[in-house]
């Protein structure tokens, strides 16, 4: 599903390049549940953003479902993203002015899906996530765990093949965190490929593979 070849990312700092990622080579197969671990500043979020096409590498090749992402134009990349990728953020990134229902619906509007179909899809998702009673509330009226559920529902609404999550339980208590990880495990069983950034050994234990980053390089995988 995913192949990275010699991916490097750097920023110019004081006229010389500072490497964030250096020569990353990586293969992720469909159906895997991968955890990216490593100390703060080791490049985990940057790698996840590149995988999610939210950021660009400076060098190297990125193949996603047989498409050469590295040589595609911005518009084509965002098309692939919208069709195949869902992204979950540590701090939820919900739109405070929109209700739960409207937040979950947003990706479908970007995909030009018709109103009736949108209604049915959002209703199904709200059912599945057991948040029927919350659908007309605004994000600030929800607990952290509930907000993250909405964030995940929004990431899943367009039925992506790949779910990316940056510290999805980082702002949650351990019970809420476990619920989110159980949900990820279930989604993975249903065929969604998952890549998460996590500091937690316990969360990583839910997955099938671990990638350890250190100073922008893959230190080891298992
Ligand atoms: P961000 O995801 O915003 O880049 P970090 O990855 O630096 O932030 O950290 C996310 C959270 O994890 C923070 O609350 C931070 O205190 C905590 N954290 C950072 N490094 C570690 C670590 N090595 N072990 C445990 N917790 C960490
Ligand atoms: P992690 O997620 O492992 O904490 P990040 O991928 O967030 O690591 O960041 C890796 C390093 O890249 C950090 O040292 C960070 O300061 C640096 N970095 C991130 N974005 C920029 C930027 N726009 N300009 C310069 N340095 C950056």
């Amino acid at each position: 599903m995913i192949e990275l070849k010699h991916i490097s990312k750097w920023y110019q700092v004081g006229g010389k390049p500072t490497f964030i990622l250096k020569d990353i080579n990586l293969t992720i197969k469909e159906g895997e549940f991968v955890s990216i671990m490593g100390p703060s500043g080791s490049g985990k979020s940057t790698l996840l953003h590149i995988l999610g096409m939210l950021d660009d590498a400076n060098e190297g090749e990125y193949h996603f479902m047989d498409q050469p992402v590295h040589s595609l134009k911005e518009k084509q990349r965002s098309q692939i993203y919208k069709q195949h990728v869902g992204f979950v953020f540590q701090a939820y990134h919900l739109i405070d002015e929109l209700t739960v229902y409207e937040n979950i619906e947003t990706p479908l509007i970007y995909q030009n899906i018709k109103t009736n179909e949108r209604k049915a899809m959002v209703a199904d998702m709200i059912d599945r996530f057991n948040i029927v009673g919350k659908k007309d509330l605004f994000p600030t009226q929800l607990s952290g765990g509930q907000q993250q559920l909405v964030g995940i529902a929004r990431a899943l609404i367009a039925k992506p093949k790949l779910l990316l999550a940056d510290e999805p339980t980082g702002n949650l208590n351990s019970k809420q965190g476990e619920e989110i990880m159980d949900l990820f495990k279930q989604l993975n069983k249903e065929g969604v490929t998952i890549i998460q950034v996590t500091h937690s050994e316990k969360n990583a234990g839910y997955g099938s593979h671990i990638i350890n980053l250190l100073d922008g390089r893959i230190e080891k995988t298992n």
Side-chain angles (χ1 to χ4, degrees):
M1 178 181 232
I2 284 174
E3 188 162 24
L4 299 185
K5 291 183 185 169
H6 306 296
I7 287 286
S8 290
K9 172 80 179 176
W10 63 80
Y11 293 100
Q12 293 292 341
V13 180
K16 60 174 197 187
T18 303
F19 279 86
I20 310 299
L21 294 173
K22 210 161 185 179
D23 197 23
I24 300 287
N25 295 286
L26 187 60
T27 303
I28 295 172
K29 299 201 185 82
E30 197 163 348
E32 288 186 347
F33 183 170
V34 177
S35 301
I36 303 174
M37 302 192 77
S40 266
S42 56
K44 303 182 296 297
S45 294
T46 305
L47 177 58
L48 197 73
H49 286 147
I50 289 173
L51 289 169
M53 299 166 224
L54 303 176
D55 197 358
D56 255 343
N58 296 91
E59 205 172 270
E61 295 182 14
Y62 176 12
H63 300 270
F64 178 77
M65 295 173 73
D66 297 325
Q67 304 241 40
V69 174
H70 53 281
S71 58
L72 296 180
K73 298 231 159 57
E74 183 57 40
K75 202 174 163 202
Q76 295 168 296
R77 285 201 300 167
S78 95
Q79 202 56 42
I80 297 180
Y81 177 87
K82 280 190 247 169
Q83 240 179 19
H84 298 298
V85 183
F87 210 104
V88 174
F89 302 89
Q90 176 175 351
Y92 328 124
H93 283 222
L94 300 174
I95 301 171
D96 282 342
E97 293 74 23
L98 299 182
T99 63
V100 164
Y101 183 98
E102 291 163 340
N103 267 283
I104 297 172
E105 183 185 30
T106 306
L108 300 179
I109 295 174
Y110 287 127
Q111 282 208 25
N112 298 317
I113 292 174
K114 292 201 190 75
T115 315
N116 278 347
E117 208 178 327
R118 286 205 308 263
K119 271 190 184 159
M121 290 170 85
V122 177
D124 278 353
M125 188 60 80
I126 282 176
D127 243 11
R128 166 167 191 178
F129 279 34
N130 252 325
I131 46 176
V132 178
K134 311 283 178 200
K135 70 181 171 56
D136 296 321
L137 297 183
F138 291 90
T140 51
Q141 297 175 293
L142 304 177
S143 74
Q146 291 165 344
Q147 289 188 57
Q148 191 57 297
L149 270 185
V150 176
I152 295 169
R154 179 182 59 183
L156 291 173
I157 191 72
K159 302 193 177 6
K161 292 200 156 54
L162 176 65
L163 183 68
L164 301 176
D166 197 348
E167 297 262 13
T169 68
N171 287 5
L172 305 180
N173 67 36
S174 57
K175 181 166 171 287
Q176 294 167 333
E178 263 174 44
E179 283 168 10
I180 299 296
M181 282 300 110
D182 285 338
L183 174 62
F184 275 26
K185 192 153 184 168
Q186 181 57 34
L187 292 167
N188 182 241
K189 270 196 196 149
E190 293 167 19
V192 181
T193 305
I194 300 180
I195 308 174
Q196 67 171 352
V197 165
T198 184
H199 284 110
S200 152
E201 294 283 349
K202 193 168 169 227
N203 284 3
Y206 283 79
S208 53
H209 295 76
I210 298 175
I211 296 167
N212 282 291
L213 280 184
L214 186 64
D215 300 335
R217 292 179 185 271
I218 293 182
E219 188 191 31
K220 69 176 179 9
T221 54
N222 46 34

